[in-house]
């Protein structure tokens, strides 16, 4: 009966089953290896040879099983388990010194822990590299759209001189959203999912900011395709005249040789810093434009900021009537369950951090934020951000990303939102199905983005249903 139950499982489920044959064999092998060492030290070479031979037999059995990708059957492994059990019993009869056995087993455990740590580190490194890689299909789409933009003059004519659209871009009676991205398809999913779930899509305005490289392609895509009456405007940050090294600390840091070495060569600390801390995207202006929203949109009073790795599945108009109680940033807090408080993001050994911020203050998430731009300007929030960026030139206050400076910048200026507005974790962990069902915005934060091969398969459909894979340009670039 037990054998039949195990036979119905796949290899992975069999391994985690309490009666797992594979795990039992592995445990026997590890114990036998410890006894091989002890037997040799006691000059019992014949017994050491017998143990080694049985270890090889068990390993061959496991290896053949791995090749077939099916769980081990009790009847085929029973002989190996019994033979090894007899040898292990015999080892105990030799009355080897218990302290020696314990010492050897501890050494073996330490060795396994070190191997596990190495594998985990490598997995993290390769996962990071895979996450940073631009898929060929996305690159193909960008090239194709750029070609269309310059080939079809009517696309450019459609964008320029649209007075009705220009008026909407400044109308504070409408719902204004902003996305800063160089990923055309991801941005398209954000816009498409928002429009399809909106009660009044004709009242929605999307402000997209990209870079010079993707500007033509982004413009072409959102001009060629209809998004149910949503107004879409595309800008490139290179056109912002105020965005220069004398005003923006991040641009100033990019000119610093030590900063360049830290992010791009990875050679100035002997490789001690994890690869995720060295990702150059953390110096990208598209990542830091979020701290300059009032300058980007000088005529607007309130905007909802969305990351490009989110999917919208509810109407978001209610965000524009949320009372922020005089605060600047409306965000979902993340200090519940597995998420973190301030001390997880900041260096509290630094006196500046220690003296200004409560280590147990609740963190919050970027990715879906309501910003009151009137209060932002009044409180000079961008100036606060500049202050902390200048203080962190040596990376001693924090190391990674835009969230730590965001926590400092909006400290005491953030209004907690209902958690159902923003559900996180779909890019790296398991998320409660009820939270996903009820969430207004689903965030694929983490390395496993839904447009990548390393994306979490069970969550990809939530994103892919907003992609029209029959679109000629997507078919041409082999997106499926």
């Amino acid at each position: 009966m037990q054998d039949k139950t195990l036979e119905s499982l796949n290899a992975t489920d069999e391994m985690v089953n309490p009666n797992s044959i594979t795990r039992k064999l592995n445990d026997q092998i590890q114990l036998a290896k410890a006894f091989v060492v002890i037997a040799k030290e006691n000059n019992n070479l014949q017994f050491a040879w017998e143990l080694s031979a049985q270890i090889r037999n068990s390993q061959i059995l496991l290896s053949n099983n791995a090749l077939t990708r099916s769980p081990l059957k009790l009847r085929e492994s029973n002989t190996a388990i019994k033979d090894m059990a007899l040898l292990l019993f015999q080892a105990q009869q030799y009355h080897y010194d218990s302290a020696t056995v314990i010492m050897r087993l501890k050494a073996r455990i330490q060795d396994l822990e070190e191997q596990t740590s190495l594998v985990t580190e490598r997995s993290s490194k390769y996962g990071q590299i895979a996450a940073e890689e631009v898929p060929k299909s996305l690159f193909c789409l960008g090239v194709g759209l750029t070609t269309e933009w310059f080939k079809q003059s009517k696309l450019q004519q459609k964008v320029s001189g649209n007075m009705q659209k220009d008026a909407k871009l400044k109308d504070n009676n409408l719902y204004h959203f902003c996305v800063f991205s160089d990923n055309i398809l991801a941005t398209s999913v954000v816009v498409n999912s928002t429009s399809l779930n909106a009660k009044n899509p004709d009242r929605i305005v999307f402000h997209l900011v990209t870079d010079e490289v993707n500007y033509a392609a982004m413009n072409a895509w959102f001009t060629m395709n209809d998004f149910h009456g949503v107004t879409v405007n595309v800008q490139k940050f290179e056109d912002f005249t105020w965005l220069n090294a004398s005003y923006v600390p991040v641009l100033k840091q990019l000119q610093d040789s030590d900063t360049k070495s830290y992010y791009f060569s990875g050679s100035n600390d002997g490789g001690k810093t994890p690869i995720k801390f060295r990702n150059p995207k953390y110096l990208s202006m598209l990542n830091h434009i979020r701290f300059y929203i009032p300058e980007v949109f000088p005529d607007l009073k309130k905007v909802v900021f969305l990351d490009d790795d989110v999917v919208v599945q509810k109407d978001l108009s209610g965000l524009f009537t949320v009372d922020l109680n005089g605060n600047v940033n409306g965000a979902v807090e993340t200090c519940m369950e597995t998420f973190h408080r301030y001390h997880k993001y900041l260096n509290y050994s630094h006196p500046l951090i220690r003296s200004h911020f409560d280590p147990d203050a609740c963190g919050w998430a970027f990715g879906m934020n309501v910003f009151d731009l009137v209060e932002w300007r009044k409180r000079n929030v961008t100036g606060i951000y500049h202050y902390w960026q200048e203080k962190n030139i040596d990376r001693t206050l924090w190391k990674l990303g835009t969230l730590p400076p965001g926590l400092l910048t909006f400290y005491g200026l953030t209004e907690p939102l209902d958690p159902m507005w923003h559900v996180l974790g779909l890019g790296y962990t398991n998320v409660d199905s009820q939270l996903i069902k009820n969430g207004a915005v689903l965030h694929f934060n983490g390395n496993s983005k839904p447009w990548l091969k390393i994306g979490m398969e069970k969550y990809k459909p939530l994103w892919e249903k907003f992609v029209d894979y029959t679109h000629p340009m997507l078919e041409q670039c082999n997106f499926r």
Side-chain angles (χ1 to χ4, degrees), residues 121-290:
E121 184 183 340
R122 285 177 178 171
S123 174
S124 175
K125 183 180 291 186
Y126 296 145
Q128 187 72 38
I129 292 169
E132 292 169 24
E133 193 71 28
V134 177
K136 289 181 181 178
S137 53
L138 278 180
F139 178 77
C140 168
L141 180 63
V143 171
L145 286 169
T146 301
T147 303
E148 290 300 312
W149 176 254
F150 289 109
K151 189 169 71 174
Q152 297 188 38
S153 57
K154 63 180 182 180
L155 289 177
Q156 298 180 43
Q157 292 168 6
K158 194 174 178 181
V159 170
S160 61
N162 189 332
M163 294 181 66
Q164 185 180 3
K165 175 182 172 181
D166 290 345
K168 279 189 168 185
L169 298 179
K170 302 176 181 180
D171 187 347
N172 280 292
N173 293 311
L174 302 179
Y175 306 129
H176 293 271
F177 296 84
C178 61
V179 181
F180 309 136
S181 175
D182 57 4
N183 187 321
I184 299 157
L185 193 62
T187 305
S188 178
V189 167
V190 177
V191 176
N192 196 29
S193 61
T194 304
S195 65
L196 284 170
N197 288 289
K199 293 176 182 175
N200 300 293
D202 58 314
R203 298 196 63 209
I204 291 175
V205 181
F206 262 94
H207 303 262
L208 311 180
V209 178
T210 189
D211 55 18
E212 182 81 50
V213 174
N214 295 281
Y215 177 70
M218 194 81 77
N219 252 319
W221 180 262
F222 286 99
T223 305
M224 292 165 61
N225 298 291
D226 176 67
F227 292 89
H228 315 284
V230 167
T231 300
V232 181
N233 186 59
V234 181
Q235 297 174 272
K236 60 179 187 286
F237 72 76
E238 287 89 350
D239 286 342
F240 302 150
T241 55
W242 47 267
L243 202 62
N244 53 66
S246 63
Y247 178 60
V248 179
V250 169
L251 288 176
K252 193 187 301 180
Q253 290 169 19
L254 274 172
Q255 297 173 359
D256 178 70
S257 58
D258 287 342
T259 303
K260 288 179 182 177
S261 175
Y262 180 82
Y263 281 98
F264 297 99
S265 75
S267 61
N268 59 346
D269 74 342
K272 293 177 184 176
T273 306
I275 189 173
K276 69 177 182 177
F277 293 121
R278 295 182 175 280
N279 191 338
K281 80 172 186 177
Y282 297 120
L283 287 181
S284 165
M285 277 317 305
L286 286 175
N287 226 28
H288 287 265
I289 283 284
R290 66 191 68 190

Side-chain angles (χ1 to χ4, degrees), residues 19-37:
N19 300 312
S20 169
I21 302 166
T22 305
R23 200 168 62 250
K24 189 180 294 183
L25 269 174
N26 273 313
D27 289 345
Q28 283 187 329
I29 289 169
Q30 298 308 322
L31 187 57
K33 284 181 177 179
F35 279 122
V36 166
V37 175

